[in-house]
Amino acid sequence: MTRRPEQDQEKTPSAVPAGPSSSGKPSGDTPSSGAKGNLRKVFVRTYGCQMNVYDSERMNDVLAPEGYQATDVMEDADLVILNTCHIREKAAEKVYSELGRIRKVKEERARSGKDMMVGVAGCVAQAEGAEISRRAPIVDLVVGPQSYHQLPALLDKARQGSKVVETEFDIDAKFDHLSAQAVKPVLRRAPSAFLTVQEGCDKFCTFCVVPYTRGAEVSRPASQILEEARRMAEAGVREITLLGQNVNAYHGEGPDGETWGLGLLLRRLSEIDGLDRLRYTTSHPRDMDDDLIAAHRDLKSLMPYLHLPVQSGSDRILKAMNRRHTRDDYFRLLDRIREAAPDVALSGDFIVGFPGETDQDFRDTMDLIHRVGYGSAFSFKYSQRPGTPGAGMDDQVPEDVKSARLAELQALVSDQQRAFNASRLGMTCDVLFEKKGRNPGQIVGKSPWLQPVQLDASENLIGSIQAVEIVEIGSNSLFGRLIDGQDKTDISGAIPAPAAQAG
């Protein structure tokens, strides 16, 4: 493995509030009773970032050969895992509150003669360690984000009566396990999927806990990633989003023995048959190199959407955050990106109320947003994360001031998002259809700019990419109609899905 130590704090979208979700769909080998006994059910609740979603899916993959089948109903589960995020304010307390609810479910199952094991995984597990077992005795195992590949063995130890806490930073072993899993046959997958290529961070922004919960930067070898992507494409995946706490710092070993950057990796991924769309998140401005910018110009499969966090528009606050770039650096970088890819939509991250932020600092941030023009953004109030330099800084901003600034910033971002969506009205674009809509006869897909697109059409088109005219704009979604004359063959049984138009 090649190493370097940010991920910026996980944030609340300006339009859609974030919260826990359940990862309840099987996403790997077909579950079987195997040598471990009868079929059992596992419920995984996922908090936080997209990488946690990916990790939860891999937990299901790891547990499937052990006889575990994923379920959406916690009360039916023999094993409950909370895959936690340590970014949000009071993240640990929210986990303990959820464990209190799980305790009641576990007690109810026990009255019916049914066992339930409980695990806590992810970044809160890494940060809290044995404290979780002490405060919540119902927890059987605590597993850090780099150790979930050991779940079967850890569960065996827990069944023998041990309280298991595994928080080692053995990321090399985890990536080796992911590589081995990638060559196994898989069931048909959803049309869009995540693929972790890099973990950890070396930036040490003063507000961020990631270097302490995910460790130093580590990049997976390119051959591992390419093989996993090929298997995904064979299983019906049409779009892959590459994930990393600082994904554009990717520096993995290539099959040629040379170090590959993210630009080269994207070029090789674009050559995989059936893989029509590529995205990546989350990035740092300091790691947008010339080759990656050129990939946005050259690759039709690399979608015209870029999440590039800036956090603040004030040079004084950027320095206090240890971001190691200025607002002018950011503007110059965006000029280069837009010259290479004029149709790119930008997304960003913003923290308001960082210690010492004055009214003028906040005005500088608002000015930056006005000048850039975002298609979407994530924003939140600064919260003190124990163990980070920011937590001990003087001049903490009062809560009411932070709330007022956040409301003003989010109103501006929402206006820009509505304007960007409105600019798509009357446009024809390719849409990747991913699922059925809320209403009968409706399907939902994604535009190249990551906007949800809804229209009335057969669910047989799920998994295909179709040309769609945008005929109406909603508060968060676009509405469209299919362009006549396309091949709308039933693809529901095809693996992989047929080749699509360029996106």
Side-chain angles (χ1 to χ4, degrees), residues 1 3 5 122-123 125-127 143-150 165-175 199-201 204 209-218 245:
M1 302 293 161
R3 299 181 181 271
C123 292
Q126 186 70 42
V143 186
Q146 314 305 358
S147 302
Y148 65 72
H149 60 287
Q150 301 180 50
V165 178
E166 179 55 67
T167 56
E168 293 297 318
F169 277 119
D170 193 8
I171 194 168
D172 290 351
K174 172 184 172 179
F175 281 166
E199 288 196 33
C201 186
F204 286 90
V209 299
V210 167
Y212 312 102
T213 58
R214 289 275 183 172
E217 282 182 8
V218 182
Q245 266 83 35

Side-chain angles (χ1 to χ4, degrees), residues 70-368:
T71 178
D72 289 324
V73 182
M74 182 192 295
E75 289 76 8
D76 292 343
D78 303 284
L79 170 63
V80 172
I81 299 175
L82 301 183
N83 190 15
T84 61
C85 175
H86 203 263
I87 295 301
R88 300 186 191 282
E89 186 178 8
K90 300 180 181 177
E93 293 307 315
K94 292 175 182 177
V95 171
Y96 291 122
S97 177
E98 180 66 13
L99 288 171
R101 289 188 284 270
I102 293 172
R103 177 179 58 79
K104 297 177 182 178
V105 176
K106 183 170 183 174
E107 291 171 350
E108 182 63 30
R109 281 178 60 89
R111 284 191 285 270
S112 302
K114 300 175 182 178
D115 291 332
M116 173 187 279
M117 299 190 73
V118 178
V120 177
C123 292
V124 172
Q126 186 70 42
E128 295 284 302
E131 177 70 5
I132 294 174
S133 294
R134 188 189 70 79
R135 286 187 56 179
I138 66 159
V139 174
D140 300 288
L141 68 160
V142 179
V143 186
Q146 314 305 358
S147 302
Y148 65 72
H149 60 287
Q150 301 180 50
L151 271 173
L154 298 177
L155 283 168
D156 283 344
K157 289 176 64 175
R159 288 191 194 97
Q160 295 167 17
S162 300
K163 290 287 186 179
V164 176
V165 178
E166 179 55 67
T167 56
E168 293 297 318
F169 277 119
D170 193 8
I171 194 168
D172 290 351
K174 172 184 172 179
F175 281 166
D176 287 342
H177 177 84
L178 291 177
S179 179
Q181 287 290 112
V183 302
K184 294 184 178 181
V186 293
L187 298 173
R188 181 172 176 84
R189 292 184 184 266
S192 182
F194 298 126
L195 200 171
T196 292
V197 303
Q198 177 272 340
E199 288 196 33
C201 186
D202 294 348
K203 293 293 189 294
F204 286 90
C205 295
T206 55
F207 54 79
C208 186
V209 299
V210 167
Y212 312 102
T213 58
R214 289 275 183 172
E217 282 182 8
V218 182
S219 295
R220 295 177 67 183
S223 57
Q224 285 188 13
I225 297 165
L226 294 171
E227 180 60 29
E228 186 167 353
R230 289 188 192 100
R231 300 301 290 164
M232 286 180 167
E234 290 170 3
V237 173
R238 308 294 299 276
E239 174 185 275
I240 285 178
T241 299
L242 305 182
L243 299 180
Q245 266 83 35
N246 192 16
V247 69
N248 60 339
Y250 175 80
H251 57 285
E253 181 182 357
D256 55 4
E258 298 295 320
T259 298
W260 286 20
L262 188 62
L264 179 55
L265 179 64
L266 286 163
R267 292 176 192 278
R268 296 296 175 262
L269 287 166
S270 72
E271 298 168 358
I272 295 176
D273 289 340
L275 190 55
D276 298 286
R277 290 184 164 194
L278 296 169
R279 304 181 187 271
Y280 62 91
T281 196
T282 288
S283 304
H284 193 288
R286 287 178 56 84
D287 294 310
M288 287 293 300
D289 62 24
D290 291 342
D291 189 51
L292 182 54
I293 293 173
H296 279 274
R297 178 195 65 208
D298 299 338
L299 301 181
K300 290 183 177 180
S301 58
L302 182 55
M303 293 293 95
Y305 174 90
L306 176 59
H307 186 64
L308 192 61
V310 63
Q311 307 299 354
S312 174
S314 162
D315 283 340
R316 197 177 68 83
I317 296 301
L318 288 171
K319 183 176 181 180
M321 289 177 168
N322 194 37
R323 293 290 291 173
R324 289 180 280 181
H325 65 79
T326 66
R327 59 185 278 128
D328 283 343
D329 292 336
Y330 190 75
F331 288 139
R332 286 193 293 269
L333 176 59
L334 294 189
D335 287 343
R336 292 168 55 208
I337 293 167
R338 284 170 163 161
E339 182 179 2
D343 62 338
V344 70
L346 287 166
S347 172
D349 293 350
F350 296 95
I351 299 170
V352 300
F354 189 79
E357 184 186 68
T358 65
D359 288 342
Q360 184 57 54
D361 293 324
F362 178 66
R363 298 262 69 83
D364 288 345
T365 297
M366 295 294 283
D367 174 71
L368 181 144

Side-chain angles (χ1 to χ4, degrees), residues 343 419-428 449 451 470 473 478:
D343 62 338
F420 179 74
N421 288 345
S423 72
R424 308 297 98 174
L425 186 63
M427 177 181 289
T428 295
W449 303 279
Q451 300 143 307
I470 304 304
I473 307 298
L478 310 181

